Amino acid sequence: MLVVSEEVRTAVAERRPVVALESTIIAHGLPRPRNLQVAEELEAVVRDEGAVPATIAVLDGVPRVGLTKDQLQRVANDEDIRKLGHRDLPLAVATAASGATTVSATALLAARAGVRVFATGGLGGVHRQWTQSQDESADLGLLARTRIAVVCAGVKSILDVGATLERLETLGVAVAGYGTDRFPGFYLADSGHPVDWTLRTPGEVAEVIRAQDALGGPDSALVVANPVPRAAQLDPALHARVLAEALAACEERGITGQAITPFLLGELVRRTGGASLEANLAAVRGNVRLAGRVAAAWAAR
């Protein structure tokens, strides 16, 4: 059921560097036609680092690791394409549906294809008001049982970052800051929370990946938290003000549960004049570039 492009399949077989890329940012995260431009840019960044890009999606019920140019255009332009987490994959396959993959679905399919490094923007996590909603991203549980290195900019600052870090610890998912002892907050270089481990070079990250494989144990992920450059982050004071106002609006309007996150994200884009989106893209570009370097270092084993 899993179709791996010839380029990706050959690279994996020859132990050359490959970087998995999610497709949700293409289908649902950016306006057209910028989404396709960004998708092509991110694949080019991977190639610039000497690695093979493996953008992942499900098309007509077929999970695909590595897309052609036409398939990438379809993901970017099809208004009916769904958003698929890993729990949705059997349903999409059985019904011949098409969908863009989230972090959890991308990580699962990448690992099944033998791809060891995955770049994304930010992870999902524990949502605010968890004690009432019990709302937690499926990303966390999937990463607890999937052997893959995920280069990300932490988790979105609209989530409960502290609770997310606690949950990752409970699940046994290794977390390290890249060049920092602070956990990034996606739009922000520093979420306000520390990390216990700091890795400073792609080679060090690759050594951790090798150590995971050598030690065995549970097939859990390595989260490499790479902060957005401070010059490109969302202004922290603006972020704090807009987030506080958006949270107050949630309270006033009775917005609860799963509706909170999309509302807060929309408010951040609207109230910052698109600055949050630009910080998002800066984070993604940095993560993809770092992932390419990590994949190259790991392949040089």
Side-chain angles (χ1 to χ4, degrees):
M1 289 186 181
L2 179 64
V3 174
V4 182
S5 73
E6 182 177 355
E7 182 184 25
V8 173
R9 184 172 62 252
T10 301
V12 170
E14 295 177 352
R15 296 180 177 270
R16 291 190 284 114
V18 181
V19 175
L21 301 171
E22 66 164 293
S23 50
T24 295
I25 188 174
I26 306 169
H28 303 290
L30 295 168
R32 299 183 182 90
R34 194 176 186 191
N35 59 343
L36 180 59
Q37 295 167 356
V38 169
E40 293 172 340
E41 175 192 349
L42 297 180
E43 289 203 346
V45 169
V46 173
R47 294 190 188 280
D48 286 346
E49 297 302 329
V52 172
T55 303
I56 297 176
V58 178
L59 297 175
D60 302 318
V62 179
R64 294 184 176 275
V65 177
L67 303 182
T68 66
K69 183 175 182 179
D70 287 345
Q71 289 166 343
L72 199 63
Q73 290 176 341
R74 181 177 170 188
V75 172
N77 295 321
D78 186 350
E79 294 184 358
D80 296 324
I81 200 160
R82 301 178 68 114
K83 184 177 181 179
L84 304 177
H86 71 279
R87 70 168 190 169
D88 303 307
L89 293 176
L91 295 160
V93 169
T95 61
S98 297
T101 53
T102 64
V103 167
S104 67
T106 304
L108 175 62
L109 295 174
R112 293 285 170 84
V115 179
R116 199 65 173 79
V117 181
F118 167 32
T120 187
L123 299 182
V126 176
H127 291 240
R128 293 172 184 262
Q129 300 178 343
W130 181 88
T131 54
Q132 287 80 38
S133 68
Q134 301 288 292
D135 192 1
E136 174 185 307
S137 171
D139 294 353
L140 305 185
L142 190 282
L143 293 178
R145 55 185 186 273
T146 304
R147 184 59 60 83
I148 196 164
V150 184
V151 181
C152 64
V155 300
K156 293 181 176 67
S157 50
I158 62 172
L159 300 173
D160 189 329
V161 180
T164 299
L165 287 169
E166 291 286 351
R167 187 73 177 125
L168 287 168
E169 180 181 357
T170 299
L171 291 170
V173 177
V175 178
Y178 188 79
T180 180
D181 60 0
R182 310 294 295 175
F183 191 70
F186 193 54
Y187 307 111
L188 304 176
D190 182 355
S191 70
H193 296 268
V195 289
D196 294 329
W197 296 93
T198 301
L199 301 173
R200 301 192 180 279
T201 67
E204 287 186 353
V205 178
E207 284 301 319
V208 176
I209 296 173
R210 295 187 188 105
Q212 280 186 313
D213 293 342
L215 289 168
D219 283 337
S220 57
L222 167 65
V223 173
V224 182
N226 181 39
V228 62
R230 288 190 179 273
Q233 72 174 344
L234 186 60
D235 177 70
L238 175 62
H239 172 273
R241 178 175 60 79
V242 170
L243 181 57
E245 291 172 353
L247 288 169
C250 281
E251 186 75 20
E252 293 170 4
R253 302 180 193 182
I255 299 172
T256 59
Q258 294 183 353
I260 292 178
T261 295
F263 175 79
L264 293 178
L265 291 175
E267 288 295 282
L268 274 172
V269 172
R270 185 177 68 84
R271 293 174 181 242
T272 64
S276 65
L277 181 59
E278 296 307 316
N280 177 347
L281 290 175
V284 172
R285 291 186 187 101
N287 296 340
V288 170
R289 188 168 299 283
L290 175 58
R293 294 172 180 174
V294 169
W298 182 69
R301 61 194 184 283

